[in-house]
Amino acid sequence: MRGWGGAAVVAASVIAATLAPAGSAAAVHGAVPGDFNGDGYRDLVLPVPGADIGPYDKAGAVVVVYGSANGVSTTSRRQTITEDSPGIPGHLFEGDRFGTTTATADLNRDGYADLVVGSPYSIADRQVTVLWGSGSGLAKGTRLPQQLHQGDNGLDVAATSLGTGSKTKILIGGDVWTTVFKGPFATGGSYGSSVETRIDNAVGSVALGDFNRSGSPDQVAFGALRPELSGSPIMVNHGGTETWPEPLEQGNGLLAATGDVNGDGYADLVVGDPLEPVTPGVDGELGGRVLVYRGSARGINREQKPEVITQQTSGVPGTSEKGDAFGGGLAVADLNRDGAAEIVVGAPYESVGAAERAGTVTVVPGRRSGALGTGGYSFHQDTAGVPSGNEAGDFFGTTVAAGDLNRDGRPELTIGAAGENNGNGAVFVLPGGSSRPTGTGSRVFTLESLGMAQAEGWLGGKGLLRLL
């Protein structure tokens, strides 16, 4: 089985979330929280890449819902940004899908988070735009340069700021080139340097994480989707040079997230491999899997054997079944504030009761020692307090993210459902609890609640449909 099912909407999210007011994050397309106006509250990013803007079908938009002491709701202050907004470069074109990918970091280190937005399908220019934070929120934008004939530029974007100069990076994935831009960055559009690496027929997923605690982000990219594997080769490059090293010898996948799952101070690499194995027991697992590579003083080496997590792992709820797509959504964030980050896993194709492909989200707690899986718990749309209900083709868990939206020290969990409302999509925000997120008090965003036309807008993002 090479895909998750024909015409169904499929996506995945990669987030490396922290609780700092202007922390770093990376996403294939998901709702990435960041404090864009510097008020101490993280703001929710709701990409709508399928939004029709005037006469331009699927031109795309990004909606920012600004956080407050009350968190976020449909009545919160919000800002809708398109390529026709004041201060934003470019022009509206049909099919641009502005907002297909997003990433958040304080790129110019001014205390305001900035938002990186990809438009990889634009016929005109396939651009990546940086929207700069300010006291009034996202007020202006600049574009990152690209090579001619670069292909689908911006299939994924990652950004992080670990320090001045080259310790701040933007990593852009495409089907031909992977490009890293290094700081210092400025609101006028300048940057320190850039390096391009050619990877023909790449799936385009990228991530950043400091695996050896050097203070400089290491880069993760995926190669071409190979017919003999369930996913793509995983490449980790510690130097940022023009040539990627050989891929990791063990494991493959489609997307990655980074974070410290055992609290030892080193970022770990978590990889989602949601497709069915081509050779069972060799390249994947029934229903999908997640791979965990531990960071260390030596970083992550090619020969490293990952820890494998499936729905058959002890302590993980559910059962591995063909086509679940476990690992199709992915985030790493410390949800219980114990210093060891949780792994949040979407299985958007999992059936719940009689509702086929309704989707679930599983949280695997971080642990200082021992195997991961113990204490796992899950959410779906029939979980107490979560709005709506399980329906066939909702794909709950298409995207997952985390961030403290009301500054109470308890990060909210954000979950996208790409198939909700016949492909319009929906994003659910689950409040942070005393020891973990809870369905009680959850809120849901739909295109209707955002005042946008109901026309297959893919609220929350469409993600990896292009690969399936």
Side-chain angles (χ1 to χ4, degrees):
M1 176 177 171
R2 298 304 297 164
W4 298 346
V9 177
V10 181
S13 175
V14 272
I15 305 212
T18 69
L19 298 182
S24 59
V28 166
H29 65 279
V32 186
D35 185 4
F36 302 115
N37 61 355
D39 63 356
Y41 298 100
R42 284 182 175 239
D43 310 311
L44 187 64
V45 177
L46 300 175
V48 197
D52 297 337
I53 309 299
Y56 301 98
D57 293 345
K58 304 292 183 288
V62 174
V63 178
V64 175
V65 183
Y66 285 89
S68 69
N70 297 318
V72 295
S73 72
T74 56
T75 60
S76 299
R77 177 199 166 198
R78 65 177 183 258
Q79 179 182 14
T80 300
I81 303 169
T82 73
E83 290 179 293
D84 194 40
S85 296
I88 307 303
H91 303 279
L92 291 174
F93 289 100
E94 183 172 327
D96 270 8
R97 300 185 193 179
F98 179 79
T100 294
T101 55
T102 59
T104 306
D106 183 2
L107 298 172
N108 59 351
R109 303 186 62 79
D110 63 353
Y112 302 104
D114 309 303
L115 183 65
V116 184
V117 181
S119 307
Y121 302 112
S122 170
I123 297 175
D125 41 22
R126 295 180 173 87
Q127 293 284 0
V128 174
T129 304
V130 179
L131 308 179
W132 299 98
S134 70
S136 57
L138 296 172
K140 62 172 292 187
T142 58
R143 280 188 163 173
L144 294 171
Q146 64 168 354
Q147 291 292 322
L148 293 174
H149 313 298
Q150 194 163 2
D152 290 339
N153 183 47
L155 290 173
D156 195 8
V157 289
T160 192
S161 181
L162 300 181
T164 59
S166 63
K167 294 181 179 181
T168 294
K169 292 182 180 180
I170 299 173
L171 187 61
I172 300 173
D175 61 350
V176 178
W177 295 91
T178 300
T179 306
V180 59
F181 291 88
K182 305 176 185 179
F185 292 91
T187 56
S190 64
Y191 56 91
S193 63
S194 66
V195 178
E196 296 176 324
T197 307
R198 184 158 187 150
I199 310 176
D200 288 331
N201 301 312
V203 298
S205 295
V206 293
L208 292 165
D210 188 2
F211 304 127
N212 58 359
R213 208 162 61 186
S214 67
S216 180
D218 300 313
Q219 300 164 206
V220 181
F222 292 82
L225 185 62
R226 289 164 40 178
E228 73 275 17
L229 297 176
S230 57
S232 297
I234 309 162
M235 296 175 289
V236 179
N237 177 11
H238 299 288
T241 61
E242 294 182 6
T243 304
W244 286 95
E246 291 296 315
L248 301 183
E249 290 183 350
Q250 302 191 56
N252 49 262
L254 293 180
L255 68 159
T258 66
D260 187 2
V261 301
N262 60 355
D264 65 354
Y266 297 97
D268 305 306
L269 172 61
V270 183
V271 173
D273 185 20
L275 299 183
E276 295 300 311
V278 176
T279 307
V282 176
D283 71 303
E285 296 287 346
L286 176 71
R289 64 179 180 172
V290 169
L291 309 176
V292 182
Y293 300 84
R294 307 285 184 165
S296 69
R298 295 172 295 174
I300 294 173
N301 61 68
R302 287 191 60 229
E303 299 79 18
Q304 193 165 334
K305 182 178 181 180
E307 184 174 350
V308 178
I309 302 171
T310 72
Q311 289 183 291
Q312 298 301 116
T313 299
S314 178
V316 175
T319 303
S320 294
E321 298 170 313
K322 186 176 181 179
D324 281 349
F326 183 81
L330 195 62
V332 179
D334 189 0
L335 299 177
N336 61 2
R337 293 92 62 204
D338 68 350
E342 278 65 56
I343 301 172
V344 185
V345 186
Y349 264 44
E350 184 165 11
S351 297
V352 182
E356 296 182 354
R357 304 186 306 279
T360 64
V361 169
T362 298
V363 178
V364 179
R367 299 189 65 188
R368 299 278 179 175
S369 61
L372 296 166
T374 300
Y377 54 94
S378 63
F379 299 98
H380 50 75
Q381 288 188 74
D382 283 340
T383 298
V386 175
S388 189
N390 289 315
E391 299 172 312
D394 279 350
F395 306 118
F396 184 83
T398 297
T399 64
V400 287
D404 188 357
L405 299 168
N406 60 358
R407 207 167 61 183
D408 66 353
R410 301 174 177 181
E412 281 72 36
L413 180 60
T414 303
I415 300 171
E420 185 77 22
N421 298 327
N422 298 314
N424 282 323
V427 175
F428 299 80
V429 179
L430 279 59
S434 58
S435 61
R436 70 189 208 186
T438 175
T440 303
S442 297
R443 292 168 174 170
V444 61
F445 292 86
T446 64
L447 290 184
E448 184 177 16
S449 71
L450 296 173
M452 304 184 76
Q454 304 287 288
E456 203 177 40
W458 310 319
L459 176 62
K462 201 174 180 183
L464 297 179
L465 180 62
R466 59 189 166 82
L467 299 179
L468 306 172

